[in-house]
Amino acid sequence: MKVAVLTGGVGGARFLRGIVDAVDPASVAAIVNVGDDLEVLGLSVSPDLDSVLYALAGLADDERGWGRADETWNALATVEALGGESWFRLGDRDLGLHVVRTQALREGAPLSTVTARSSARCGGDHPPGDGRRAADVARHHERQLLFPGLVRCPRAP
């Protein structure tokens, strides 16, 4: 059985986690929203993508309902104290992901590569891509998104 999941947000990430727990993750194609990506404090933030990453890697804060578990807010408290932008609640652990993503994107890496690297390093337990699956990419606004072996869809024209 093959399953395609269009997902976004915390609810979608939880739903996806349930799906990959119920069926072979290699049979699941997750197409994750990147239309809500934004820049915060000069950093590239992908809220829906991050929610999926954290949910599948077992890092999500299920009690609060968003972000990473065991989060701290020291950096954002300093930003607030200095009069910086603080409306988007970025925790210290979350900031690490955004710093690494922003650096890689500025160096020219596609979002798919950055996502695959982050997913692997966060300990996501979905299977790695192989030659057949690695070629399948979800595209949105000229950005590419790929969870190896999990996010699959036909190439967009």
Side-chain angles (χ1 to χ4, degrees), residues 4 7 15 20 31-32 37 52-53 55 72 76 96-97 101-102 105 107 110 120 126 129 134-135 146 152 156:
T7 185
F15 179 73
V20 299
I31 299 106
V32 182
D37 288 10
V52 168
L53 173 68
T72 57
L76 192 59
L97 173 62
R101 175 188 293 129
T102 301
L105 291 172
E107 291 172 353
H126 47 279
L146 173 68
R152 300 181 299 129

Side-chain angles (χ1 to χ4, degrees), residues 32-122:
V32 182
N33 175 40
V34 294
D36 294 330
D37 288 10
L38 69 160
E39 188 173 295
V40 179
L41 300 169
L43 300 175
S44 177
V45 178
S46 299
D48 293 348
L49 183 56
D50 299 341
S51 292
V52 168
L53 173 68
Y54 296 154
L56 294 178
L59 301 173
D61 188 329
D62 292 327
E63 188 174 314
R64 187 175 57 244
W66 56 272
R68 289 188 61 162
D70 302 317
E71 189 62 271
T72 57
W73 307 95
N74 299 309
L76 192 59
T78 300
V79 168
E80 283 180 310
L82 296 172
E85 182 180 342
S86 63
W87 67 273
F88 198 94
R89 306 303 293 172
L90 298 174
D92 297 331
R93 292 172 181 233
D94 202 24
L95 277 168
L97 173 62
H98 305 312
V99 167
V100 168
R101 175 188 293 129
T102 301
Q103 178 183 15
L105 291 172
R106 286 184 181 154
E107 291 172 353
L111 185 57
S112 60
T113 299
V114 178
T115 301
R117 198 178 305 147
S118 297
S119 178
R121 291 185 176 145
C122 284

